[in-house]
Amino acid sequence: MSVFSLQLMSRVLTFALNVAVVRAVDRAAYGIGSVQMQLVCDAVLALSREGFRDACQRTPADAWLESRSRSRMLAVAWLCVPFAAVVCSVVLGISSSMGTGQAEPGFSAVSISAMFVAAAGLEMLSEPLYILAHNLLLIHIRVRVEMIALVTKIFTTSALVALYPANPLFAFALGQIAYGAAMLIAFVAYFVFAEGGLGMRETCALLSGWQSLSAMRQTVGGSDDAFDGELLKMVRDMSVKAFFKFFLEKGETLILLQQFPAETWGMYGIIQNLGSLVVRLIFLPVRVACMRLLPSVHILSCPCALCMPPLTRPSCLFLHAGGGHGAACLQQVAVFWRQRLRG
């Protein structure tokens, strides 16, 4: 299953779930669950992990194959977990101050927000394994794990809506928690039991942050290479970018929540999911492929005589894309990448 297939299935299944749920619950409740509370969850995930993902995706693929350099980068990658705990606290505090009272029978707005924040935190526990799988080019594993998690979320939400129609927000929250739990369990199962995995000991060490804690002790002891310093700086820069990117992307949603009633939120949620179908199907798989391809070839010098001084291949492609030189570089990159995948 490819990234394109994952996006197709996720969009279709999510849209089918939304259509089925909106027929069974009040439109205002649907708007709160699919827009307002989903924004709470997205805020935690985007602000916590996007900087780490973008930074780690820009590292050379060779570095993840060598034990020492991989350990240093994973020590940085795990820092997204305590960082997520801080973000969860801030987001929950802001959400609690904005929403008070009863969200639905038996559940307050604060308790529903806390469940969505907990779901995001649970999903963040699997983030180091996600980063490792992506940078080891285990794209097929990542796609399968996300599909398993999505199907789990859909069945959980649908079943709870059918069993407890008076508590749709509770169903949405537990569905999101089921998604995060399924992601974590599936990644752990692969890396522990699969032939190409890490094994029980190294997987547990990664999840518990042992590498990061060990690197911290070494840093306190005077070592300056326990963490990947360049990766840390890149995480900082990418996290700042993720902060501004989140507010630019979610600005219209924030305005919607402030200016319109909850019934309008539900209509917006359905239309947004359908409207983003084509964009996500076409551009997101291309972005994922390029983000993994370019860092893997940037360390290879271009041998062409036209590049004086020698340039990296991506630079050649941009500077000479109009002629045969760019095509020759692209062909060499393609040969290298095929050999890497087969090896």
Side-chain angles (χ1 to χ4, degrees):
M1 184 180 292
S2 64
V3 177
F4 176 84
S5 301
L6 172 65
Q7 289 303 312
L8 176 61
M9 293 298 296
S10 65
R11 292 296 101 190
V12 170
L13 290 175
T14 303
F15 183 73
L17 172 66
N18 289 338
V19 171
V21 171
V22 78
R23 292 174 177 271
V25 304
D26 178 71
R27 186 179 297 178
Y30 175 79
I32 295 173
S34 64
V35 178
Q36 184 184 29
M37 294 304 167
Q38 192 61 49
L39 179 64
V40 171
C41 186
D42 290 344
V44 173
L45 294 175
L47 298 177
S48 300
R49 74 185 182 188
E50 290 302 318
F52 287 87
R53 282 190 179 183
D54 288 348
C56 291
Q57 286 174 357
R58 285 168 169 78
T59 56
D62 287 340
W64 292 88
L65 302 177
E66 199 273 318
S67 177
R68 172 58 181 167
S69 62
R70 183 173 70 187
S71 178
R72 294 173 67 233
M73 289 188 292
L74 286 177
V76 175
W78 183 83
L79 295 178
C80 68
V81 176
F83 182 60
V86 176
V87 175
C88 283
S89 301
V90 174
V91 171
L92 181 59
I94 295 175
S95 177
S96 300
S97 65
M98 296 176 63
T100 58
Q102 286 290 109
E104 62 184 18
F107 296 95
S108 66
V110 174
S111 63
I112 295 296
S113 296
M115 293 176 69
F116 273 90
V117 170
L122 184 60
E123 187 174 344
M124 283 301 301
L125 291 177
S126 65
E127 189 62 21
L129 295 177
Y130 177 100
I131 292 174
L132 180 60
H134 187 83
N135 285 279
L136 289 179
L137 304 180
L138 301 173
I139 306 299
H140 61 293
I141 300 300
R142 199 206 81 186
V143 168
R144 291 171 187 173
V145 168
E146 291 185 5
M147 183 55 64
I148 291 172
L150 179 62
V151 172
T152 302
K153 173 184 175 180
I154 289 175
F155 276 106
T156 302
T157 306
S158 302
L160 289 173
V161 166
L163 291 173
Y164 306 102
N167 301 106
L169 297 181
F170 175 71
F172 280 120
L174 281 190
Q176 197 66 42
I177 290 175
Y179 180 88
M183 284 273 290
L184 179 61
I185 293 171
F187 270 124
V188 170
Y190 172 78
F191 281 106
V192 170
F193 299 110
E195 183 177 351
L198 302 176
M200 176 69 76
R201 182 177 180 180
E202 191 171 350
T203 302
C204 291
L206 178 56
L207 288 175
S208 63
W210 176 257
Q211 292 167 317
S212 295
L213 296 175
S214 177
M216 290 178 189
R217 287 195 296 268
Q218 294 178 36
T219 302
V220 172
S223 175
D224 58 354
D225 64 343
F227 288 102
D228 190 314
E230 291 298 321
L231 183 57
L232 272 175
K233 294 178 183 178
M234 197 181 304
V235 166
R236 179 199 60 194
D237 295 339
M238 292 298 170
S239 296
V240 173
K241 185 202 77 170
F243 177 82
F244 289 105
K245 177 184 175 183
F246 172 77
F247 285 100
L248 290 173
E249 287 184 345
K250 301 298 182 179
E252 62 180 16
T253 305
L254 294 172
I255 295 174
L256 177 76
L257 296 178
Q258 293 295 324
Q259 301 295 328
F260 294 92
E263 290 80 1
T264 307
W265 305 349
M267 297 174 61
Y268 171 83
I270 296 177
I271 295 172
Q272 183 192 45
N273 182 71
L274 181 61
S276 64
L277 181 63
V278 176
V279 176
R280 289 179 179 272
L281 286 178
I282 295 176
F283 294 109
L284 187 58
V286 174
R287 178 181 180 274
V288 171
C290 291
M291 288 289 291
R292 191 59 251 159
L293 172 63
L294 292 180
S296 302
V297 300
H298 84 284
I299 58 173
L300 300 176
S301 297
C302 179
C304 306
L306 295 177
C307 295
M308 298 299 290
L311 300 174
T312 58
R313 283 202 176 111
S315 302
C316 288
L317 296 179
F318 285 112
L319 291 175
H320 306 287
H325 176 71
C329 288
L330 181 60
Q331 184 177 13
Q332 295 177 46
V333 168
V335 170
F336 164 79
W337 194 246
R338 284 197 298 268
Q339 293 174 347
R340 171 64 58 82
L341 292 177
R342 291 172 181 172

